[in-house]
Amino acid sequence: MLTEFHFDEELLSCDELISEVSHALNISLLEFWYERGCLVFPFSHLIKYKEWMQYVHPKYMQKWQAALASNLTVDMPNGYRMIGEYEDFNALTTSCVSNGIDLVLVPGNFHKLGITSDSDFYSDVIDITKVGSFLSSPVIKRNKLFSSKGILPGEDINDIWEKQFLKVAKHSKKITIIDRYFGKNLCDDILIETSTKKTCLHKFIEL
């Protein structure tokens, strides 16, 4: 399952990403983005993001620049603001939901919108998480579980589609399906397809 995540450009200058002990976090964050993430950010601020990448630890600056150029990204056109400019968590949530964002990353010294010195994340409709603890975010854990979860007989196909496949299909130009039971399951689906119940193949084609 893909995670649509967001951070503003100021995150790129936080201590967690620029210090001499930032190696593990830079690697894990870049790997997460490459393997299971899609960055949602305003394309109109692309130059600013590139400028702030100059602050990242020199060993990883080019990797961040390459990630921004080649990893999955999607525009954030609806009312962009710096994260610290939101008046409360509800305002942030409204913006994130309208842009399809699941996860917001903030620096370790960020203490607003439900994040405190004693809590590394705040979770409700979306997750806001200190970048140093992003792998502990509930949405990251949930999406990782769904990415490896099998499909049991009798499960609701619409629920499976939304939780396990929708965002992958939404952001992928090419998808390879390897399933030895695909043909049998597709035939079974076709036999019971109705105007309100569509096969997964049908939903992929519609996208």
Side-chain angles (χ1 to χ4, degrees):
M1 180 66 179
L2 206 63
T3 301
E4 291 175 301
F5 70 104
H6 169 69
F7 56 80
D8 62 36
E9 51 267 42
E10 288 187 352
L11 181 79
L12 297 164
S13 66
C14 73
D15 290 342
E16 291 88 345
L17 296 180
I18 69 175
S19 72
E20 290 301 321
V21 294
S22 66
H23 305 296
L25 179 58
N26 273 288
I27 291 171
S28 61
L29 187 53
L30 288 167
E31 285 182 350
F32 156 75
W33 183 4
Y34 176 75
E35 295 173 356
R36 294 181 281 119
C38 176
L39 175 65
V40 183
F41 81 103
F43 288 177
S44 60
H45 285 233
L46 177 61
I47 293 176
K48 289 186 178 180
Y49 275 74
K50 289 182 176 179
E51 289 174 349
W52 281 79
M53 282 183 180
Q54 304 298 318
Y55 293 102
V56 173
H57 191 286
K59 184 175 181 179
Y60 300 100
M61 185 173 63
Q62 288 188 340
K63 294 181 185 295
W64 274 96
Q65 292 170 339
L68 188 62
S70 60
N71 286 3
L72 283 178
T73 59
V74 66
D75 193 15
M76 183 181 180
N78 299 328
Y80 172 69
R81 282 188 278 174
M82 303 290 282
I83 296 165
E85 295 176 355
Y86 287 95
E87 55 271 23
D88 54 37
F89 186 78
N90 288 335
L92 173 65
T93 298
T94 299
S95 176
C96 288
V97 169
S98 70
N99 287 286
I101 296 167
D102 304 312
L103 172 67
V104 176
L105 302 179
V106 294
N109 61 0
F110 187 91
H111 298 143
K112 300 177 182 178
L113 307 178
I115 295 288
T116 69
S117 57
D118 297 321
S119 64
D120 289 340
F121 64 83
Y122 184 82
S123 180
D124 193 354
V125 178
I126 61 149
D127 284 4
I128 179 169
T129 305
K130 292 181 182 178
V131 65
S133 306
F134 82 98
L135 289 176
S136 298
S137 161
V139 72
I140 293 281
K141 291 181 176 180
R142 183 189 71 223
N143 289 350
K144 185 176 182 181
L145 175 64
F146 281 133
S147 69
S148 58
K149 180 179 178 292
I151 299 173
L152 300 176
E155 286 194 272
D156 183 353
I157 191 170
N158 292 312
D159 190 49
I160 294 167
W161 171 259
E162 181 177 348
K163 292 180 178 178
Q164 295 181 245
F165 296 106
L166 177 59
K167 292 193 175 184
V168 174
K170 176 182 173 184
H171 295 294
S172 301
K173 294 180 179 179
K174 180 180 179 181
I175 297 174
T176 301
I177 299 173
I178 302 174
D179 182 356
R180 57 181 173 170
Y181 299 111
F182 179 73
K184 178 182 182 303
N185 292 338
L186 179 60
C187 290
D188 292 343
D189 280 350
I190 290 173
L191 291 174
I192 59 174
E193 183 174 15
T194 67
S195 59
T196 58
K197 181 178 176 62
K198 299 177 180 179
T199 66
C200 278
L201 182 61
H202 193 159
K203 291 182 178 181
F204 270 111
I205 293 172
E206 286 183 334
L207 288 170

